[in-house]
Amino acid sequence: MHSLPLITAGLLALTLVGCSSEPLRRADALTASPAPLEKPVEQARQALAAAPSCCKNLMQMPFEPLPPGFSGEVVIDSQAPAYAFETGKSFFRAFALPAEGPSFELRLYSQAGQSVLAPSAMLLDSQWRPTRLLDADDFAYVPPTGLKGDSLDARLRIDRSQPDHPGNERYLILYTSTAQMAGQTTLEHPAKAYAKALGNEPPSIPDPIARHSPVGVVKLVMIRDGEQSATKGYVPGYSIGHEMGNRLPSLPAPAVLPETSAYYRQAIDAALTQQDLERALRLADEAARVGDTGAKAYLLERIQIK
């Protein structure tokens, strides 16, 4: 269970804005992010400079099979192999994507703290020929939302409509570039996020800076077509909002009995007493789904009182 002060701002913002302005599904926001890799940047750069190149070409890279429906952490640290890409030498992780089954989406979240890996993602076909390259222009900084921390995010779709096509993208390489390692990312200060969630003027304080590093942690989530409902995490039935740029039709909320409303308020109070804000948010969402439109406002009032 997460402590109340650490996640209040993110969950409060999520409660207020829902998902309509977020690039991610609520399931992402309600799934805890892995901790960023906080190795000193200079030490990581020295390790990269001393690391030998693992391979003569992309075909010789150690590709790890990525199982269907994978969701987990990809650690790119000084123990990872290094390769001299055209954009400079970098530590990397390489994966063989599922060749069969439905098409799927890959979501990448590079975790940010005092430092962050500014990723590049290269896709290869069955002959190890590059097909697509995602770089700094494709990874966007997304402030904390719910249980999701600061991160550089990207998403891409892998087509499997023609399973035997030789041009299908079969391999994924995650790495960074010399140019990206020289940069930095400005993160949103938690106090500003909290003020915005309450509709207040953000305080005039400096935002933290994450230096770009050769190492980091990337959360990778694979979502196969037709299996959106299998995504781990709580997905409220009335709170899907935007997904891939498409607005889903809103549904009218059913009428709610006074006894039902009282039940949810008591349950929200109990969750807040236990400092379990994640459960309180789920209860408020569930109440809204059954027609109690005042549950979220009640939760916000209770948070401000505390």
Side-chain angles (χ1 to χ4, degrees):
M1 183 174 66
H2 294 255
S3 62
L4 186 61
L6 292 178
I7 63 173
T8 296
L11 289 177
L12 182 57
L14 187 62
T15 302
L16 284 170
V17 303
C19 192
S20 60
S21 62
E22 295 296 330
L24 308 175
R25 290 174 63 91
R26 290 290 288 273
D28 298 320
L30 288 172
T31 302
S33 298
L37 196 62
E38 299 291 11
K39 184 171 184 176
V41 174
E42 295 305 328
Q43 184 178 342
R45 289 176 176 171
Q46 292 172 8
L48 176 61
S53 182
C54 72
C55 325
K56 294 182 179 180
N57 52 52
L58 300 178
M59 187 184 303
Q60 295 180 350
M61 285 185 170
F63 289 94
E64 309 168 51
L66 199 66
F70 176 86
S71 177
E73 304 174 19
V74 176
V75 178
I76 303 177
D77 58 12
S78 57
Q79 302 303 311
Y83 181 76
F85 295 90
E86 291 184 1
T87 54
K89 187 166 70 170
S90 173
F91 295 119
F92 72 91
R93 294 284 298 277
F95 301 95
L97 302 174
E100 300 178 352
S103 302
F104 54 90
E105 177 184 324
L106 292 177
R107 299 180 181 179
L108 304 169
Y109 314 84
S110 185
Q111 307 303 308
Q114 295 182 3
S115 64
V116 63
L117 175 76
S120 292
M122 183 186 297
L123 289 157
L124 313 174
D125 65 12
S126 59
Q127 301 301 312
W128 292 277
R129 295 172 298 196
T131 57
R132 277 191 286 173
L133 175 63
L134 281 69
D135 55 20
D137 294 333
D138 302 290
F139 283 84
Y141 166 65
V142 178
T145 304
L147 302 180
K148 175 193 169 299
D150 293 282
S151 57
L152 300 177
D153 300 356
R155 57 201 303 175
L156 56 149
R157 178 175 171 78
I158 306 297
D159 188 271
R160 288 291 182 266
S161 58
Q162 302 181 46
D164 298 325
H165 196 290
N168 281 351
E169 292 171 320
R170 294 287 305 276
Y171 303 99
L172 169 70
I173 305 171
L174 298 177
Y175 63 105
T176 188
S177 68
T178 300
Q180 288 169 303
M181 283 186 280
Q184 62 184 28
T185 295
T186 301
L187 311 180
E188 183 177 58
H189 196 288
K192 292 183 178 180
Y194 186 75
K196 290 178 182 178
L198 293 175
N200 297 331
E201 183 70 22
S204 180
I205 54 178
D207 288 313
I209 299 295
R211 297 179 63 194
H212 290 181
S213 174
V215 299
V217 177
V218 178
K219 180 180 177 182
L220 191 157
V221 179
M222 180 191 301
I223 301 178
R224 296 183 292 180
D225 282 6
E227 296 187 358
Q228 292 283 346
S229 60
T231 305
K232 293 183 178 180
Y234 179 72
V235 184
Y238 278 77
S239 306
I240 301 302
H242 285 83
E243 174 64 9
M244 297 297 287
N246 298 319
R247 179 183 291 276
L248 300 182
S250 59
L251 299 177
V256 61
L257 296 174
E259 295 84 353
T260 302
S261 180
Y263 165 79
Y264 279 109
R265 280 156 176 73
Q266 292 173 5
I268 288 171
D269 286 338
L272 291 177
T273 299
Q274 298 174 4
Q275 294 193 340
D276 192 347
L277 189 55
E278 180 183 353
R279 173 172 171 75
L281 177 62
R282 289 201 302 267
L283 287 165
D285 271 322
E286 184 178 332
R289 193 169 71 247
V290 299
D292 186 358
T293 57
K296 290 185 178 181
Y298 179 80
L299 172 59
L300 294 182
E301 291 174 1
R302 300 301 297 168
I303 291 174
Q304 294 180 49
I305 291 173
K306 290 180 177 294

